[in-house]
Amino acid sequence: MGKVILIFLLLINISYLVSFLAFFGASLLNNLWLGTFIFSLVLSIYYLMRTRKQKGYNPYLSITVITFSMGSLGLYVFIYYLSNLLG
């Protein structure tokens, strides 16, 4: 069940990055995105810490979700900063 949730959160993060590259605009500044990025970051860290004690676990999915969440969160903050700076 955890892998399915992490894959779903990874797809959400990838869709945000793709929509940013396709349509650069202020429509990407929805608060739902911010909550999703923080939720996916916390959940992936939780799964990484919880399941590292299991035998045969590969942490690559959790690390990928953490990386994409941090990248999406950084991009969101950058767009928010630019939209407030430019008006």
Side-chain angles (χ1 to χ4, degrees):
M1 184 64 180
K3 286 186 179 181
V4 173
I5 293 171
L6 287 176
I7 289 172
F8 180 70
L9 291 173
L10 182 64
L11 290 175
I12 289 174
N13 287 321
I14 290 173
S15 69
Y16 180 79
L17 291 174
V18 167
S19 65
F20 171 76
L21 292 174
F23 312 106
F24 181 75
S27 63
L28 298 174
L29 289 177
N30 193 353
N31 289 334
L32 182 65
W33 288 112
L34 182 63
T36 305
F37 301 149
I38 293 172
F39 177 71
S40 63
L41 188 62
V42 169
L43 194 66
S44 60
I45 290 172
Y46 170 73
Y47 278 126
L48 184 65
M49 294 300 159
R50 184 183 71 135
T51 56
R52 73 177 175 176
K53 298 175 185 176
Q54 293 178 355
K55 185 177 179 179
Y57 173 71
N58 292 330
Y60 300 124
L61 182 61
S62 295
I63 292 172
T64 304
V65 173
I66 289 171
T67 304
F68 273 96
S69 297
M70 289 175 55
S72 298
L73 187 62
L75 187 62
Y76 179 86
V77 169
F78 178 71
I79 293 172
Y80 184 77
Y81 176 73
L82 278 182
S83 68
N84 284 341
L85 181 70
L86 298 175

